[in-house]
Amino acid sequence: DFKIKLVGVCNRSIEKAEQAKELYGFDFATQHDDDLFNNKDIDVIDICTPNEYHKEQIIKALNAKKHIYCEKPVVANPAHAAEVLKHPNLEKVTTHTVFHGRFFANVLRAKQIIEEGRLGKILAFRGQFLLSSYAKSTTPASWRQTKQESGGGVLYDVGSHISDMVYYLLGDFAKVYGKTHMPYQTRPDGKGGMFKCELDEAAYIIATLKNGAVGTIEASKLASGAATDMKIEINGEKGALIIDFMQPNWLYFYDNTLPDQKLGGYKGYTRIEC
């Protein structure tokens, strides 16, 4: 067993850094990230800055041989990825991306069922991550609408979570076809003016996996009525699964190997307690 000690917190606003220090109990607050990377008492760096800055901060952490917990997407573009991947200290530290959905109880149980072969050959899937945060044209723009700081649109943001879930449960992608959507060309900038939007707020993908399964992935911040709704359905020859992240303690399993009987027999989705 071990205990986590929160040593330092950095924000470009020292006022916000001080607020985090008081709220969570860090030893110190700073607005200079080198104060964290150069601190010998810090073993793990949690990188949760805008996407554009991840590469620089990952390199600093690797130079200091500190373990890394980094927000998704890990970097903003392929060139940044190549620079990180060639760093000599990459294999000397432990790294992880913030794909926390992998550790939900229903996801862990679903992975067990798939690996046991209970679904048989995977045929199809449908994944979606829906929010309503930018459905209104009056919602102010943020750094997520800027190509420089974000690097990409909704796929870089919430779409990475549902894409990773497909990858984690079903394997690698072979081919993808996508369509993005940016319905509002301008948004309020929060300062009394208007901001010209640079990035999409919804993406729709048809994907073929290396195992032959074909499915869809939808990531959207335009879904009025949604409240961080993330869901994946998987259809196999022998069975099916429904994972609803709004209900993390339950997994829905359909056993397609049960015999057909009058009035349905015992077929139907079973709600498994996880």
Side-chain angles (χ1 to χ4, degrees), residues 175-194:
K175 293 186 294 184
V176 295
Y177 169 80
K179 172 69 176 176
T180 58
H181 187 202
M182 186 174 69
Y184 307 119
Q185 302 303 307
T186 60
R187 286 188 176 278
D189 63 5
K191 303 174 184 178
M194 295 300 290

PDB file of all heavy atoms in Angstrom, residues 175-194:
ATOM      1  N   LYS A 175      -9.888   0.733 -41.209  1.00  0.00           N
ATOM      2  CA  LYS A 175     -10.268   1.843 -42.077  1.00  0.00           C
ATOM      3  C   LYS A 175     -11.327   2.694 -41.389  1.00  0.00           C
ATOM      4  O   LYS A 175     -12.157   2.176 -40.648  1.00  0.00           O
ATOM      5  CB  LYS A 175     -10.838   1.324 -43.408  1.00  0.00           C
ATOM      6  CG  LYS A 175      -9.841   0.600 -44.293  1.00  0.00           C
ATOM      7  CD  LYS A 175     -10.443   0.259 -45.651  1.00  0.00           C
ATOM      8  CE  LYS A 175     -11.561  -0.751 -45.548  1.00  0.00           C
ATOM      9  NZ  LYS A 175     -12.082  -1.160 -46.882  1.00  0.00           N
ATOM     10  N   VAL A 176     -11.297   3.999 -41.653  1.00  0.00           N
ATOM     11  CA  VAL A 176     -12.324   4.888 -41.110  1.00  0.00           C
ATOM     12  C   VAL A 176     -12.751   5.886 -42.180  1.00  0.00           C
ATOM     13  O   VAL A 176     -11.956   6.296 -43.025  1.00  0.00           O
ATOM     14  CB  VAL A 176     -11.835   5.663 -39.860  1.00  0.00           C
ATOM     15  CG1 VAL A 176     -11.549   4.721 -38.707  1.00  0.00           C
ATOM     16  CG2 VAL A 176     -10.604   6.490 -40.169  1.00  0.00           C
ATOM     17  N   TYR A 177     -14.021   6.238 -42.134  1.00  0.00           N
ATOM     18  CA  TYR A 177     -14.567   7.311 -42.967  1.00  0.00           C
ATOM     19  C   TYR A 177     -15.311   8.249 -42.048  1.00  0.00           C
ATOM     20  O   TYR A 177     -16.125   7.800 -41.230  1.00  0.00           O
ATOM     21  CB  TYR A 177     -15.520   6.766 -44.031  1.00  0.00           C
ATOM     22  CG  TYR A 177     -16.297   7.855 -44.738  1.00  0.00           C
ATOM     23  CD1 TYR A 177     -15.715   8.595 -45.763  1.00  0.00           C
ATOM     24  CD2 TYR A 177     -17.592   8.170 -44.352  1.00  0.00           C
ATOM     25  CE1 TYR A 177     -16.410   9.605 -46.391  1.00  0.00           C
ATOM     26  CE2 TYR A 177     -18.308   9.183 -44.974  1.00  0.00           C
ATOM     27  CZ  TYR A 177     -17.705   9.900 -45.996  1.00  0.00           C
ATOM     28  OH  TYR A 177     -18.401  10.914 -46.610  1.00  0.00           O
ATOM     29  N   GLY A 178     -15.025   9.540 -42.142  1.00  0.00           N
ATOM     30  CA  GLY A 178     -15.615  10.467 -41.190  1.00  0.00           C
ATOM     31  C   GLY A 178     -16.185  11.720 -41.816  1.00  0.00           C
ATOM     32  O   GLY A 178     -15.804  12.134 -42.918  1.00  0.00           O
ATOM     33  N   LYS A 179     -17.117  12.312 -41.090  1.00  0.00           N
ATOM     34  CA  LYS A 179     -17.731  13.570 -41.465  1.00  0.00           C
ATOM     35  C   LYS A 179     -17.843  14.425 -40.213  1.00  0.00           C
ATOM     36  O   LYS A 179     -18.335  13.964 -39.172  1.00  0.00           O
ATOM     37  CB  LYS A 179     -19.126  13.331 -42.057  1.00  0.00           C
ATOM     38  CG  LYS A 179     -19.950  14.596 -42.305  1.00  0.00           C
ATOM     39  CD  LYS A 179     -19.386  15.434 -43.444  1.00  0.00           C
ATOM     40  CE  LYS A 179     -20.293  16.634 -43.718  1.00  0.00           C
ATOM     41  NZ  LYS A 179     -19.707  17.520 -44.765  1.00  0.00           N
ATOM     42  N   THR A 180     -17.361  15.675 -40.291  1.00  0.00           N
ATOM     43  CA  THR A 180     -17.445  16.570 -39.147  1.00  0.00           C
ATOM     44  C   THR A 180     -18.486  17.658 -39.412  1.00  0.00           C
ATOM     45  O   THR A 180     -18.910  17.878 -40.549  1.00  0.00           O
ATOM     46  CB  THR A 180     -16.079  17.228 -38.862  1.00  0.00           C
ATOM     47  OG1 THR A 180     -15.649  17.943 -40.026  1.00  0.00           O
ATOM     48  CG2 THR A 180     -15.043  16.186 -38.488  1.00  0.00           C
ATOM     49  N   HIS A 181     -18.878  18.351 -38.329  1.00  0.00           N
ATOM     50  CA  HIS A 181     -19.958  19.338 -38.432  1.00  0.00           C
ATOM     51  C   HIS A 181     -19.645  20.528 -37.529  1.00  0.00           C
ATOM     52  O   HIS A 181     -19.354  20.355 -36.339  1.00  0.00           O
ATOM     53  CB  HIS A 181     -21.284  18.685 -38.016  1.00  0.00           C
ATOM     54  CG  HIS A 181     -22.479  19.551 -38.249  1.00  0.00           C
ATOM     55  ND1 HIS A 181     -23.675  19.375 -37.560  1.00  0.00           N
ATOM     56  CD2 HIS A 181     -22.687  20.605 -39.080  1.00  0.00           C
ATOM     57  CE1 HIS A 181     -24.549  20.273 -37.974  1.00  0.00           C
ATOM     58  NE2 HIS A 181     -23.978  21.036 -38.883  1.00  0.00           N
ATOM     59  N   MET A 182     -19.683  21.732 -38.095  1.00  0.00           N
ATOM     60  CA  MET A 182     -19.515  22.967 -37.335  1.00  0.00           C
ATOM     61  C   MET A 182     -20.653  23.904 -37.732  1.00  0.00           C
ATOM     62  O   MET A 182     -20.548  24.695 -38.663  1.00  0.00           O
ATOM     63  CB  MET A 182     -18.165  23.622 -37.625  1.00  0.00           C
ATOM     64  CG  MET A 182     -17.868  24.836 -36.762  1.00  0.00           C
ATOM     65  SD  MET A 182     -16.202  25.521 -36.994  1.00  0.00           S
ATOM     66  CE  MET A 182     -16.338  26.185 -38.666  1.00  0.00           C
ATOM     67  N   PRO A 183     -21.808  23.830 -37.030  1.00  0.00           N
ATOM     68  CA  PRO A 183     -22.991  24.575 -37.455  1.00  0.00           C
ATOM     69  C   PRO A 183     -22.905  26.080 -37.244  1.00  0.00           C
ATOM     70  O   PRO A 183     -23.588  26.842 -37.922  1.00  0.00           O
ATOM     71  CB  PRO A 183     -24.113  23.969 -36.614  1.00  0.00           C
ATOM     72  CG  PRO A 183     -23.424  23.471 -35.386  1.00  0.00           C
ATOM     73  CD  PRO A 183     -22.070  23.005 -35.840  1.00  0.00           C
ATOM     74  N   TYR A 184     -22.090  26.516 -36.277  1.00  0.00           N
ATOM     75  CA  TYR A 184     -21.985  27.944 -35.986  1.00  0.00           C
ATOM     76  C   TYR A 184     -20.581  28.425 -36.356  1.00  0.00           C
ATOM     77  O   TYR A 184     -19.592  27.942 -35.811  1.00  0.00           O
ATOM     78  CB  TYR A 184     -22.263  28.221 -34.512  1.00  0.00           C
ATOM     79  CG  TYR A 184     -23.568  27.647 -34.024  1.00  0.00           C
ATOM     80  CD1 TYR A 184     -23.606  26.696 -33.008  1.00  0.00           C
ATOM     81  CD2 TYR A 184     -24.780  28.046 -34.582  1.00  0.00           C
ATOM     82  CE1 TYR A 184     -24.806  26.166 -32.556  1.00  0.00           C
ATOM     83  CE2 TYR A 184     -25.987  27.528 -34.143  1.00  0.00           C
ATOM     84  CZ  TYR A 184     -25.996  26.581 -33.134  1.00  0.00           C
ATOM     85  OH  TYR A 184     -27.186  26.057 -32.697  1.00  0.00           O
ATOM     86  N   GLN A 185     -20.507  29.362 -37.259  1.00  0.00           N
ATOM     87  CA  GLN A 185     -19.217  29.870 -37.714  1.00  0.00           C
ATOM     88  C   GLN A 185     -18.603  30.855 -36.722  1.00  0.00           C
ATOM     89  O   GLN A 185     -17.387  31.042 -36.699  1.00  0.00           O
ATOM     90  CB  GLN A 185     -19.374  30.547 -39.081  1.00  0.00           C
ATOM     91  CG  GLN A 185     -19.938  29.626 -40.160  1.00  0.00           C
ATOM     92  CD  GLN A 185     -19.102  28.378 -40.359  1.00  0.00           C
ATOM     93  OE1 GLN A 185     -17.900  28.456 -40.576  1.00  0.00           O
ATOM     94  NE2 GLN A 185     -19.740  27.212 -40.282  1.00  0.00           N
ATOM     95  N   THR A 186     -19.430  31.489 -35.901  1.00  0.00           N
ATOM     96  CA  THR A 186     -18.943  32.421 -34.885  1.00  0.00           C
ATOM     97  C   THR A 186     -19.646  32.151 -33.557  1.00  0.00           C
ATOM     98  O   THR A 186     -20.759  31.621 -33.529  1.00  0.00           O
ATOM     99  CB  THR A 186     -19.189  33.891 -35.289  1.00  0.00           C
ATOM    100  OG1 THR A 186     -20.597  34.105 -35.466  1.00  0.00           O
ATOM    101  CG2 THR A 186     -18.448  34.229 -36.581  1.00  0.00           C
ATOM    102  N   ARG A 187     -18.978  32.525 -32.489  1.00  0.00           N
ATOM    103  CA  ARG A 187     -19.527  32.429 -31.136  1.00  0.00           C
ATOM    104  C   ARG A 187     -19.081  33.662 -30.345  1.00  0.00           C
ATOM    105  O   ARG A 187     -18.065  34.277 -30.669  1.00  0.00           O
ATOM    106  CB  ARG A 187     -19.031  31.163 -30.430  1.00  0.00           C
ATOM    107  CG  ARG A 187     -19.651  29.876 -30.912  1.00  0.00           C
ATOM    108  CD  ARG A 187     -19.241  28.703 -30.033  1.00  0.00           C
ATOM    109  NE  ARG A 187     -19.895  27.468 -30.424  1.00  0.00           N
ATOM    110  CZ  ARG A 187     -21.115  27.123 -30.070  1.00  0.00           C
ATOM    111  NH1 ARG A 187     -21.809  27.926 -29.272  1.00  0.00           N
ATOM    112  NH2 ARG A 187     -21.637  25.977 -30.456  1.00  0.00           N
ATOM    113  N   PRO A 188     -19.821  33.990 -29.291  1.00  0.00           N
ATOM    114  CA  PRO A 188     -19.358  35.074 -28.410  1.00  0.00           C
ATOM    115  C   PRO A 188     -17.983  34.740 -27.837  1.00  0.00           C
ATOM    116  O   PRO A 188     -17.692  33.580 -27.534  1.00  0.00           O
ATOM    117  CB  PRO A 188     -20.422  35.111 -27.314  1.00  0.00           C
ATOM    118  CG  PRO A 188     -21.637  34.491 -27.925  1.00  0.00           C
ATOM    119  CD  PRO A 188     -21.132  33.446 -28.865  1.00  0.00           C
ATOM    120  N   ASP A 189     -17.131  35.758 -27.721  1.00  0.00           N
ATOM    121  CA  ASP A 189     -15.788  35.515 -27.184  1.00  0.00           C
ATOM    122  C   ASP A 189     -15.709  35.731 -25.678  1.00  0.00           C
ATOM    123  O   ASP A 189     -14.640  35.584 -25.074  1.00  0.00           O
ATOM    124  CB  ASP A 189     -14.762  36.394 -27.895  1.00  0.00           C
ATOM    125  CG  ASP A 189     -14.990  37.887 -27.683  1.00  0.00           C
ATOM    126  OD1 ASP A 189     -15.894  38.257 -26.902  1.00  0.00           O
ATOM    127  OD2 ASP A 189     -14.273  38.677 -28.308  1.00  0.00           O
ATOM    128  N   GLY A 190     -16.857  36.062 -25.048  1.00  0.00           N
ATOM    129  CA  GLY A 190     -16.875  36.288 -23.606  1.00  0.00           C
ATOM    130  C   GLY A 190     -16.377  37.645 -23.200  1.00  0.00           C
ATOM    131  O   GLY A 190     -16.317  37.972 -22.008  1.00  0.00           O
ATOM    132  N   LYS A 191     -16.004  38.483 -24.185  1.00  0.00           N
ATOM    133  CA  LYS A 191     -15.481  39.813 -23.887  1.00  0.00           C
ATOM    134  C   LYS A 191     -16.291  40.900 -24.581  1.00  0.00           C
ATOM    135  O   LYS A 191     -15.833  42.036 -24.712  1.00  0.00           O
ATOM    136  CB  LYS A 191     -14.020  39.902 -24.317  1.00  0.00           C
ATOM    137  CG  LYS A 191     -13.113  38.855 -23.689  1.00  0.00           C
ATOM    138  CD  LYS A 191     -11.715  38.917 -24.275  1.00  0.00           C
ATOM    139  CE  LYS A 191     -10.842  37.804 -23.712  1.00  0.00           C
ATOM    140  NZ  LYS A 191      -9.478  37.831 -24.320  1.00  0.00           N
ATOM    141  N   GLY A 192     -17.472  40.532 -25.071  1.00  0.00           N
ATOM    142  CA  GLY A 192     -18.314  41.493 -25.752  1.00  0.00           C
ATOM    143  C   GLY A 192     -18.214  41.460 -27.257  1.00  0.00           C
ATOM    144  O   GLY A 192     -18.970  42.131 -27.965  1.00  0.00           O
ATOM    145  N   GLY A 193     -17.305  40.652 -27.786  1.00  0.00           N
ATOM    146  CA  GLY A 193     -17.130  40.528 -29.231  1.00  0.00           C
ATOM    147  C   GLY A 193     -17.513  39.143 -29.721  1.00  0.00           C
ATOM    148  O   GLY A 193     -18.118  38.354 -28.997  1.00  0.00           O
ATOM    149  N   MET A 194     -17.149  38.856 -30.966  1.00  0.00           N
ATOM    150  CA  MET A 194     -17.442  37.556 -31.561  1.00  0.00           C
ATOM    151  C   MET A 194     -16.139  36.874 -31.974  1.00  0.00           C
ATOM    152  O   MET A 194     -15.186  37.525 -32.412  1.00  0.00           O
ATOM    153  CB  MET A 194     -18.354  37.717 -32.782  1.00  0.00           C
ATOM    154  CG  MET A 194     -19.737  38.262 -32.453  1.00  0.00           C
ATOM    155  SD  MET A 194     -20.676  37.220 -31.293  1.00  0.00           S
ATOM    156  CE  MET A 194     -21.020  35.791 -32.331  1.00  0.00           C
TER     157      MET A 194
END
